[in-house]
Amino acid sequence: MSELNNIVLKILEKGKGILAADESTGTMTQRLDDVKVPSSPENRLSFRETLFSASSMTDCIGGVILYDETIKQETSKKIKIPELISSMGSAPGIKVDTGAKVLAGSPDEKITEGLDGLRERLKEYYKLGAKFTKWRGVYTITKNFPSKLSIQSNAHALARYSALVQECRMVPIVEPEVLMEGEHSAKECYEKTSEVIKKCFEELILHKVDLKGIILKPNMILAGNKSDNKITNEEVAKLTIKCLKNSVPSEVTGIAFLSGGQSEIEATENLNLINKYNDTDFIMSYSYGRALQQSALKFWSKNIEDIEGTQKVFNHRAKMNTLAAQSKWFKDLEV
Ligand code: 13P
């Protein structure tokens, strides 16, 4: 078994998933503004350190995606953040894209940047202890979008990024996120997501990326948030599996979904159903940001000294999702 595939399997073993704590400083500031906590480097670290030292880091969280600021920070006890995460039995990872920018040629769409100088930055992150990385491409659904240009150019960037990451002996998370915002139907989400994922794999194969050594981070198949035609959770699960079965090569072992604006319970319930109906060999787990942190952040904001209480809220969410990744979750566990 390859070294990279070992990392994938270790991160996603026994229903474990990924904590996406890689909000850029701008995004984290918005999240902290929402709960009325000043966004200082100390407060950003304090919330994250609270989560990274919770007991679910050992039982449920196989990997944590960090932002550049956090991977270079130290705890109050002078422990480097990647060391703290490793000591809990989890793997440190790092977001390496530099954000989604206006796509020249189709200015209402986005292209993710960050390839220039990436090889050198990867070496630095590897030395800091990173075992895996993340790059996110974003696509909106409207009548004319995503355009061929956005599908092609984001796939190309994701593949070039992945090849560089594997060259540096880390696992790339490949995240093509078809956004939930819009009036589109689930059928349109299914069609566009399939097209986007297929193009990504065409490029990954062209760039000779080892598919056993990646983690695909897709969206679930949902109707748009402004659609009048919502579908049931059972339908979400079945369509999501069908989409992945038809567009992801069988060499891929690890898939970890993003939550993308779903509520905490919705993201857990859908993951549980996906695993209930999963008739593929793919491991289907989670790589959640908001759906793992929302309640914990709200609790923490009321009293940032209450580390134990905040960890309890976070541990519960992590446990629920790890059960869902094994289709062992049920609603009564939430009360
Ligand atoms: P959400 O689960 O909040 O969508 O965040 C996941 C992520 O990493 C988005 O890039």
Side-chain angles (χ1 to χ4, degrees):
M1 204 183 297
S2 75
E3 180 191 1
L4 294 179
N5 188 236
N6 269 333
I7 298 174
V8 173
L9 295 177
K10 182 92 187 20
I11 292 173
L12 301 179
E13 71 177 359
K14 299 183 210 138
K16 285 186 181 178
I18 298 169
L19 166 62
D22 61 325
E23 299 85 358
S24 63
T25 301
T27 305
M28 194 60 189
T29 300
Q30 280 172 27
R31 303 262 191 274
L32 291 173
D33 283 352
D34 289 345
V35 295
K36 306 199 166 31
V37 175
S39 179
S40 61
E42 293 75 27
N43 284 345
R44 293 194 288 273
L45 175 65
S46 164
F47 177 64
R48 286 164 167 161
E49 185 182 337
T50 302
L51 303 191
F52 303 164
S53 37
S55 61
S56 55
M57 287 290 297
T58 308
D59 305 330
C60 306
I61 304 294
V64 181
I65 318 173
L66 300 167
Y67 182 59
D68 181 75
E69 175 184 66
T70 325
I71 201 171
K72 294 169 180 167
Q73 283 174 320
E74 287 184 351
T75 68
S76 39
K77 291 182 191 123
K78 298 271 168 266
I79 300 168
K80 294 189 168 76
I81 289 295
E83 278 170 24
L84 168 65
I85 292 168
S86 305
S87 74
M88 297 299 291
S90 188
I94 179 78
K95 186 223 300 283
V96 301
D97 68 62
T98 55
K101 308 285 161 61
V102 172
L103 173 62
S106 184
D108 291 327
E109 297 187 280
K110 300 274 175 66
I111 176 71
T112 301
E113 295 190 345
L115 288 169
D116 287 352
L118 180 58
R119 183 179 269 130
E120 287 66 38
R121 287 196 292 127
L122 290 172
K123 284 182 190 153
E124 187 193 352
Y125 289 136
Y126 183 80
K127 274 195 205 139
L128 290 169
K131 299 280 181 264
F132 70 102
T133 64
K134 180 186 116 173
W135 180 290
R136 170 175 176 257
V138 284
Y139 312 81
T140 35
I141 302 182
T142 65
K143 194 161 157 279
N144 300 315
F145 298 151
S147 66
K148 293 261 176 268
L149 175 61
S150 119
I151 294 175
Q152 172 73 58
S153 52
N154 275 297
H156 176 80
L158 276 161
R160 283 189 58 199
Y161 140 82
S162 299
L164 284 164
V165 171
Q166 290 193 338
E167 180 189 271
C168 200
R169 297 167 61 197
M170 294 184 283
V171 166
I173 291 186
V174 176
E175 181 178 6
E177 176 175 4
V178 178
L179 296 167
M180 184 208 273
E181 281 70 33
E183 293 173 2
H184 55 271
S185 64
K187 182 168 175 277
E188 285 168 286
C189 177
Y190 176 91
E191 282 162 5
K192 296 304 173 191
T193 303
S194 301
E195 193 180 344
V196 161
I197 293 179
K198 280 182 188 159
K199 183 56 80 179
C200 283
F201 280 103
E202 205 180 297
E203 288 286 326
L204 287 165
I205 291 165
L206 186 66
H207 287 77
K208 306 207 166 16
V209 171
D210 169 11
L211 299 185
K212 287 187 167 38
I214 70 161
I215 294 175
L216 176 69
K217 177 164 171 167
N219 50 282
M220 294 178 191
I221 304 301
L222 304 164
N225 61 352
K226 295 196 194 110
S227 162
D228 295 329
N229 297 308
K230 292 278 183 318
I231 58 170
T232 65
N233 295 327
E234 299 263 336
E235 287 169 318
V236 168
K238 288 181 181 166
L239 278 177
T240 302
I241 294 167
K242 189 173 164 199
C243 168
L244 296 171
K245 229 169 146 170
N246 292 335
S247 45
V248 181
S250 57
E251 293 98 300
V252 173
T253 28
I255 297 180
F257 294 97
L258 58 98
S259 61
Q262 298 180 66
S263 72
E264 290 182 342
I265 305 281
E266 199 183 350
T268 303
E269 184 161 8
N270 284 336
L271 181 65
N272 191 64
L273 287 169
I274 286 171
N275 279 286
K276 179 173 163 194
Y277 296 120
N278 181 10
D279 57 352
T280 71
D281 290 331
F282 303 132
I283 299 170
M284 304 241 210
S285 192
Y286 59 93
S287 175
Y288 291 166
R290 284 161 287 181
L292 265 176
Q293 299 180 90
Q294 232 158 39
S295 295
L297 183 65
K298 217 168 167 184
F299 184 95
W300 175 80
S301 69
K302 307 236 159 71
N303 176 9
I304 67 173
E305 307 292 322
D306 189 356
I307 293 173
E308 223 171 280
T310 306
Q311 289 180 338
K312 208 169 146 207
V313 176
F314 173 65
N315 286 338
H316 174 72
R317 222 42 274 138
K319 174 118 188 280
M320 293 300 105
N321 285 309
T322 285
L323 286 172
Q326 303 166 91
S327 78
K328 290 180 182 164
W329 173 88
F330 49 97
K331 236 181 199 134
D332 290 354
L333 293 171
E334 294 289 351
V335 282

